[in-house]
Amino acid sequence: MIFTGLIVGALLGIVMQRGRFCVTGMLRDIFLQRSWRTFTALMIVIAVHAVGIAMLTSTGVISPEYSGFAPVAVVVGSLLFGLGIILAGGCASGTWYRSAEGLVGSWIALAMYALSSAAMKKGALGGFAVWMKQWDTGLTTIPEAFGISPWVFVILVSAVTAVMVRHFLRKERRIPKPATLGNRPAWKRPLHFYTAGALVGLIGVIAWPLSAAAGRNDGLGITTPSSNLVKFMVTGNESNIDWGVMLVLGLFVGAFIAAKAGGEFRIRVPDARTATRAVAGGLMMGVGASLAGGCTVGNGMVQTSLFSFQGWVSLVFIALGVGLGAKLWLRPTTSRPTSGGGTYTTSESLDNTLAVASDGRTLEPAPVGSGSVTSGVEEATTSASVKTTPAAPSSGGQGFGGFPAALGAVGLKEKTGASSTLRELGEGYYALDSLGAVCPFPLIDAKDVMATLDPGDHLVIDFDCTQATEAIPHWAAEDGHEITDFREQGEASWQITLRKA
């Protein structure tokens, strides 16, 4: 029966990858975008999950067990987890499926997350975890504490969610439809956030009785299965392989299949400092989730659906941790050299450091080749000269409009300052190189740069962050900017051209 976990996990991985479904981004948008649009997808998961679990519980199909609410551990752990997922670039499930997209930084974060959670649960840090959880209030669920039927809360959450969905769908209809990549079959197109949320909630409902039938009385979960996988790899003890372990392995397999089929898989290697941040973020995630009793899945989706004190308090403090992390570390790039081979340079973005090369030189544009941007850009760039400082050669050898790829920090005209990795192409066209930057940096930099441009100016963005294929077009539509071109540039690489309103 544990192999049903592999099937459920594969379905979950496909939905999450195709829906760009990451709770980190949903919580981050509240602070960075001042928007609850994507968070509404999490509310859909909770609502669908809550209805299904209440039905399964009331009919006796499942019998959930509730842990006592230990406020110190939950609050501290959730804050730590929220900070960690900002550094790691994704929540627990997001880190699993982004690993399947080829992001080596996510592999590092995932390894540290699994190792630290194993240490907290049964290893060297187990004593610390027990000590932090000693202050147990004995409270379990909110309905039990108030002597109210769980169905009251199910109906309330469902009603609030329905209002939120209606509000944001109506808002979407009032703005121009965001641009999408053309000429793609339906199965390669991303799922709408809300569709993905409903499917994740439904998968969560199905997961519980299947998991219980395999001897694991729980629903979706990432932290304990990840730690159990590490224990098995270290000890070889087959008792550690349960339904939950099969779930996370299936999640990886499903996400890989979806990414590969959609042309969104490519190995991308982080630089040393970004890798260091992945290590720190992963460790914080594992320690935090173990203290809090769950991650954004275990607490943010399952325990909230059970209306436990632990789940809702944890979700609030994870959000506060994300907000604090966003304030500390998510800011526009000052300057970042473009690295060859798809290497991440998020560390420069996080540190706001300025890259300086040993010597400077002026690059004259090469003749326009086959053209990777619109004809307007090609015409504009035929007479442009770009000042730059050299760095490692580009792996592709060509950049915007047939030019050699940007090789370093750029000298920009005064109106744009040096707020990002921007190149002036001439005739009102500017090129922003976000290749290698993990989300949300392509969007952060695009917004920062666009604010400095004049109406009618064009911004050409190269990026390889999968989530930005939805985030950038939606932001452009909301702000009224015209998208004049949007295309794939190869495996897991895209280019979009915006005209400032």
Side-chain angles (χ1 to χ4, degrees):
M1 286 297 292
I2 67 170
F3 287 100
T4 60
L6 194 66
I7 298 171
V8 172
L11 291 174
L12 184 64
I14 291 170
V15 170
M16 284 188 161
Q17 200 282 327
R18 298 314 303 152
R20 287 80 164 101
F21 197 89
C22 184
V23 179
T24 303
M26 298 171 187
L27 298 175
R28 192 176 60 212
D29 283 354
I30 297 173
F31 300 96
L32 291 185
Q33 312 296 338
R34 300 293 188 267
S35 171
W36 295 77
R37 180 183 74 94
T38 55
F39 179 81
T40 301
L42 178 59
M43 290 297 297
I44 293 173
V45 175
I46 295 171
V48 172
H49 215 169
V51 171
I53 288 177
M55 293 177 63
L56 292 174
T57 302
S58 62
T59 55
V61 175
I62 62 172
S63 300
E65 297 174 355
Y66 307 97
S67 300
F69 175 50
V72 176
V74 171
V75 169
V76 173
S78 298
L79 278 171
L80 191 63
F81 184 82
L83 288 166
I85 61 181
I86 288 293
L87 281 177
C91 59
S93 57
T95 301
W96 270 98
Y97 86 69
R98 285 175 178 166
S99 294
E101 292 178 345
L103 279 72
V104 177
S106 293
W107 299 358
I108 296 170
L110 181 59
M112 294 301 103
Y113 163 62
L115 284 169
S116 57
S117 61
M120 287 289 291
K121 290 181 178 295
K122 294 291 183 181
L125 298 178
F128 171 66
V130 171
W131 180 76
M132 286 290 289
K133 294 179 180 181
Q134 64 181 308
W135 297 284
D136 192 328
T137 63
L139 296 171
T140 54
T141 69
I142 301 171
E144 181 180 332
F146 288 94
I148 301 173
S149 169
W151 280 103
V152 174
F153 293 92
V154 171
I155 293 170
L156 178 62
V157 166
S158 299
V160 170
T161 301
V163 171
M164 295 175 71
V165 170
R166 181 173 181 270
H167 169 75
F168 287 109
L169 287 180
R170 291 181 67 182
K171 187 175 180 180
E172 280 188 10
R173 287 194 289 268
R174 290 197 296 267
I175 64 174
K177 186 177 180 180
T180 57
L181 292 164
N183 300 320
R184 304 192 97 202
W187 59 271
K188 291 185 71 172
R189 297 171 192 165
L191 293 172
H192 192 284
F193 263 11
Y194 297 168
T195 302
L199 290 173
V200 170
L202 182 60
I203 291 170
V205 173
I206 296 170
W208 200 300
L210 292 176
S211 176
R216 174 182 174 272
N217 189 25
D218 208 342
L220 297 178
I222 306 294
T223 303
T224 298
S226 298
S227 68
N228 284 342
L229 182 58
V230 169
K231 294 172 194 173
F232 169 73
M233 294 173 67
V234 172
T235 67
N237 188 345
E238 294 182 1
S239 66
N240 289 311
I241 300 296
D242 62 3
W243 194 92
V245 171
M246 301 306 289
L247 174 77
V248 294
L249 291 176
L251 194 160
F252 182 89
V253 171
F256 172 75
I257 292 171
K260 193 68 177 174
E264 296 174 352
F265 174 86
R266 193 177 86 246
I267 299 296
R268 284 156 279 182
V269 182
D271 60 31
R273 288 195 293 177
T274 301
T276 301
R277 292 183 182 275
V279 170
L283 291 173
M284 293 166 70
M285 287 168 62
V287 172
S290 299
L291 285 177
C295 60
T296 42
V297 172
N299 274 338
M301 297 182 191
V302 177
Q303 290 296 321
T304 50
S305 303
L306 293 169
F307 300 102
S308 71
F309 282 97
Q310 174 182 300
W312 285 97
V313 171
S314 178
L315 181 58
V316 169
F317 280 91
I318 289 174
L320 292 176
V322 167
L324 178 59
K327 184 175 180 62
L328 290 173
W329 299 309
L330 300 184
R331 59 191 65 166
T333 308
T334 299
S335 187
R336 170 177 58 83
T338 301
S339 304
T343 300
Y344 288 136
T345 49
T346 311
S347 56
E348 284 84 2
S349 298
L350 292 171
D351 289 332
N352 244 15
T353 56
L354 179 64
V356 179
S358 58
D359 62 325
R361 61 190 175 92
T362 299
L363 287 183
E364 295 297 334
V368 177
S370 57
S372 60
V373 294
T374 56
S375 59
V377 180
E378 294 170 351
E379 293 171 4
T381 58
T382 56
S383 62
S385 295
V386 183
K387 294 181 180 179
T388 180
T389 51
S394 167
S395 59
Q398 292 216 343
F400 298 93
F403 286 109
L407 299 178
V410 177
L412 305 173
K413 66 182 184 179
E414 189 174 338
K415 77 167 183 174
T416 57
S419 58
S420 192
T421 52
L422 189 70
R423 288 188 293 145
E424 183 181 351
L425 302 177
E427 299 296 329
Y429 279 84
Y430 298 85
L432 176 62
D433 183 2
S434 290
L435 289 170
V438 294
C439 289
F441 289 103
L443 177 59
I444 290 175
D445 286 347
K447 293 178 68 174
D448 181 62
V449 168
M450 190 66 86
T452 69
L453 302 183
D454 295 329
D457 284 348
H458 289 75
L459 181 62
V460 186
I461 310 168
D462 271 352
F463 64 95
D464 54 10
C465 169
T466 305
Q467 288 70 39
T469 58
E470 192 275 342
I472 292 177
H474 190 88
W475 157 70
E478 280 195 325
D479 278 24
H481 306 305
E482 179 187 0
I483 295 179
T484 61
D485 190 42
F486 188 16
R487 64 181 65 195
E488 293 177 277
Q489 294 288 90
E491 293 294 315
S493 183
W494 299 270
Q495 184 179 91
I496 189 168
T497 304
L498 311 178
R499 181 180 183 276
K500 183 170 179 177

